[in-house]
């Protein structure tokens, strides 16, 4: 089996890193299982463990660990093992906050050209979830897209798309039915040769079905919708990069129950561009929109121009980002104190 790396996104800029590391070969990470990577290379997929330099970088920052979508450099040792010796700098990255007290991040996918927020129209789209995931998509650096799935279960999918377009200023909203094939060709245009489409959404949203529809074959396992509540079952538990016929790749992420924002001020501003635009009309540049005179945002709330639900969603995400910023500051201060203590020399006794 041979693979054309240019169809997976390899280009002249990536090749400059390879020229600095003679004796290595490139590949793209398709999935990671317990620290072992499945890497797509010119001769097909190989399994590779993590080399010392990668482990050392991860000890300082867990986001340095390879993830699906990363371009890496591989080495093959005389006794046969293959190791990942370098993770090439990411052009884009979907990063969510990790659970726990470390105030760190987890890279869900790397080097996406398009980050698609996948949301089912049945039984009902979750507006707050779309806004949260869109903030993550905007912050990644990739082109955001909203894909509405299971439209065969909706009476008027076009009307639903028009309604949800207000949640995504400047972002295309694409209704798709993998069951009937509606909208699949339009989605396929976002995955030209050399480009990568990432799918981000909850369990049961139909991401695996989208991958199968784009690939023209069943490459991802899917399960039937539960009859009791109309929701899909959780299927994908790992991130997987799937090459498509004709070039391009799609990356299916696991269903996310909750996505915490880590550092998404710019992404939040773009997701809520309507509120950001209203804020420019406030009398005071530092207006908190909480009782200040001549507040354009409060005026828009009062006259119904700005829906209260959207305003509360924006406030919730703003509070979350402020909290995460404080957590990072505390962690960095603790790290600096720890480094200072480790660097002190013991005082000699008289």
């Amino acid at each position: 089996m041979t693979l054309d790396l240019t169809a997976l996104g390899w280009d002249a800029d990536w090749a400059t890193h390879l020229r600095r590391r003679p004796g290595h070969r490139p590949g793209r990470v398709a999935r990671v299982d317990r620290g072992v990577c499945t890497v797509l290379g010119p001769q097909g997929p190989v399994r590779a463990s993590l080399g010392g330099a990668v482990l050392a970088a991860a000890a300082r920052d867990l986001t340095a660990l390879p993830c699906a979508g990363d371009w890496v450099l591989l080495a093959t040792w005389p006794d046969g093992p293959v190791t990942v010796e370098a993770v090439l700098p990411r052009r884009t990255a979907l990063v969510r906050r990790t659970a726990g007290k470390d105030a760190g991040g987890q890279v869900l996918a790397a080097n996406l050209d398009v980050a698609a927020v996948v949301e089912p129209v049945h039984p009902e789209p979750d507006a707050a979830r779309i806004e949260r995931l869109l903030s993550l998509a905007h912050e990644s650096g990739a082109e955001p897209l909203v894909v509405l799935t299971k439209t065969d279960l909706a009476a008027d999918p076009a009307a639903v798309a028009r309604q949800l377009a207000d949640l995504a200023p400047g972002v295309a909203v694409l209704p798709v039915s993998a069951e009937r094939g509606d909208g699949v060709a339009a989605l396929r245009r976002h995955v030209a040769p050399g480009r990568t489409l990432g799918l981000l959404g909850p369990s049961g949203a139909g991401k695996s079905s989208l991958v199968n529809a784009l690939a023209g074959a069943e490459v991802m396992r899917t399960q039937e919708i539960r009859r009791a509540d109309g929701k899909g079952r959780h299927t994908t538990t790992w991130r997987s990069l799937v090459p498509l016929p004709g070039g391009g790749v799609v990356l299916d992420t696991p269903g996310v129950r909750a996505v915490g924002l880590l550092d998404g001020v710019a992404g939040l501003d773009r997701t809520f561009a309507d509120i950001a635009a209203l804020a420019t009309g406030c009398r005071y540049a530092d207006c908190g929109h909480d009782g200040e005179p001549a507040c354009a945002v409060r005026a828009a709330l009062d006259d119904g121009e700005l829906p209260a639900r959207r305003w509360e969603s924006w406030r919730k995400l703003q509070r979350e980002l402020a909290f995460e910023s404080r957590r990072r500051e505390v962690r960095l201060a603790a790290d600096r104190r720890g480094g200072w203590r480790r660097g002190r020399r013991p005082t000699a006794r008289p």
Side-chain angles (χ1 to χ4, degrees), residues 27-270:
R28 195 165 190 195
V29 178
R31 59 183 286 184
V32 180
D33 302 292
R34 300 181 184 275
V36 178
C37 302
T38 299
V39 182
L40 303 180
Q43 280 72 50
V46 296
R47 299 274 284 172
S49 57
L50 304 183
V54 173
L55 290 172
R60 298 187 295 270
D61 181 0
L62 288 177
T63 63
L65 286 170
C67 73
D70 271 324
W71 283 101
V72 297
L73 298 183
L74 303 175
T76 302
W77 298 89
D79 53 347
V82 178
T83 55
V84 176
E85 292 300 311
V87 178
L88 300 188
R90 294 163 178 147
R91 294 176 181 173
T92 65
L94 277 171
V95 184
R96 72 172 176 181
R97 186 188 71 236
T98 54
K101 301 180 180 179
D102 64 349
Q106 176 191 19
V107 184
L108 295 175
N111 300 313
L112 304 179
D113 295 289
V114 178
V117 174
V118 181
E119 180 69 20
V121 301
H122 182 81
E124 185 179 3
D126 187 323
R129 181 168 59 210
I130 293 174
E131 290 164 340
R132 176 179 289 272
L133 295 181
L134 264 180
S135 297
L136 197 71
H138 276 299
E139 193 68 23
S140 74
E143 175 192 350
L145 174 69
V146 175
V147 177
L148 301 179
T149 58
K150 306 184 182 180
T151 57
D152 51 291
L153 301 177
D156 190 351
V160 178
R162 287 193 297 270
Q163 180 183 1
L164 294 180
D166 292 337
L167 307 180
V171 176
V173 179
L174 182 61
V176 175
S177 169
E179 180 74 17
R180 294 194 307 218
D182 300 342
V184 173
L187 181 60
R188 184 65 176 84
R189 287 194 285 272
H190 290 274
V191 206
R195 288 174 59 83
T196 302
L197 169 69
L199 305 178
L200 181 68
S203 299
K207 299 186 301 297
S208 297
S209 296
L210 283 181
V211 175
N212 292 339
L214 290 169
E218 187 169 354
V219 293
M220 302 292 288
R221 183 172 62 88
T222 62
Q223 293 185 6
E224 295 295 327
I225 295 174
R226 293 195 300 259
R227 292 184 179 179
D229 54 13
K231 297 180 180 179
R233 299 175 186 271
H234 177 78
T235 53
T236 307
T237 56
W238 35 262
R239 299 154 194 84
S240 182
L241 192 78
V242 179
L244 298 180
V249 292
V250 60
L251 199 159
D252 181 25
T253 64
V256 286
R257 295 178 179 85
V259 174
L261 301 183
L262 181 67
D263 184 17
V265 175
L268 200 62
D269 286 345
R270 294 180 65 185

